[in-house]
Amino acid sequence: MGLFSKDIATFEDLFLHQLQDVYYAEQQITKALPKMIDKATAPALQQIFRTHLTETENQSARLEQVFETIGEKVKGVTCQAIDGIIKEANEVAGEIEDKRVLDAALIAAAQAVEHYEIARYGTLVAWAKEIGRTEVAAILQRTLDEEHATNDKLTALATGQVNAAAEAVGEPA
């Protein structure tokens, strides 16, 4: 189903489609994070990824709760955006030999994922409020807050140490 396919006739149909899209995305992120944990070398980065894996699993459970609340079947629809972000991250990570540069690349990839999720959840919160689903908006807001917090942690780690270490690669000693 494309974003503007014939199956989306109403605003509530669009809301449901976006829920299904982000549910699929959370499933893919859950699969990708263990690989990112294994590739990361900075202990702080590994910990952020481990924490976010647990959060992502909880976010999927929250989405299942949202589906139940609105009386819909739990279902994901293919999200080409998240598939593309994860594919690109894997390709870039596979091309990097120095672990310090790899950590910087992993943070950049993780932030691309976070920014996608922030955009999706921000929209879903606003739409849930618009259609009078304040209880759903509150559930989705918890996830949106977690996504912002993870992005902030990644930024702090990148600017606090990882980017400088990566930038030093190849400089004369």
Side-chain angles (χ1 to χ4, degrees):
M1 168 170 31
L3 178 57
F4 297 108
S5 75
K6 64 183 177 195
D7 296 337
I8 299 174
T10 68
F11 191 54
E12 289 195 18
D13 291 344
L14 182 59
F15 178 74
L16 176 60
H17 179 78
Q18 291 303 308
L19 282 173
Q20 293 168 336
D21 175 278
V22 80
Y23 183 74
Y24 173 90
E26 295 293 11
Q27 302 304 302
Q28 299 312 303
I29 295 163
T30 299
K31 292 176 188 172
L33 276 167
K35 296 172 192 164
M36 294 175 78
I37 293 166
D38 289 343
K39 289 180 182 179
T41 59
L45 182 55
Q46 291 172 328
Q47 185 55 50
I48 289 170
F49 287 160
R50 278 198 275 301
T51 299
H52 199 55
L53 176 57
T54 300
E55 288 176 345
T56 301
E57 291 164 347
N58 292 333
Q59 291 163 359
S60 289
R62 273 190 223 124
L63 285 169
E64 291 165 6
Q65 179 185 359
V66 167
F67 282 112
E68 184 178 314
T69 300
I70 65 173
E72 293 289 341
K73 178 181 167 192
V74 175
K75 176 184 160 194
V77 294
T78 301
C79 172
Q80 294 178 359
I82 204 67
D83 286 345
I85 291 168
I86 291 170
K87 180 181 178 193
E88 179 182 52
N90 287 332
E91 288 173 359
V92 169
E95 297 172 1
I96 299 172
E97 290 181 30
D98 189 284
K99 299 299 183 188
R100 295 166 292 178
V101 176
L102 177 59
D103 282 346
L106 289 171
I107 289 173
Q111 287 193 292
V113 169
E114 293 310 307
H115 292 193
Y116 176 79
E117 290 181 296
I118 288 166
R120 281 292 186 242
Y121 281 108
T123 297
L124 285 167
V125 167
W127 288 358
K129 290 175 183 175
E130 184 68 30
I131 62 175
R133 296 287 195 162
T134 55
E135 74 284 6
V136 169
I139 294 167
L140 296 170
Q141 184 65 52
R142 285 183 56 206
T143 298
L144 179 59
D145 293 344
E146 289 173 354
E147 302 300 358
H148 278 291
T150 297
N151 185 63
D152 291 346
K153 289 175 197 171
L154 290 166
T155 297
L157 181 60
T159 59
Q161 67 188 65
V162 171
N163 290 349
E167 201 258 332
V169 171
E171 289 185 1

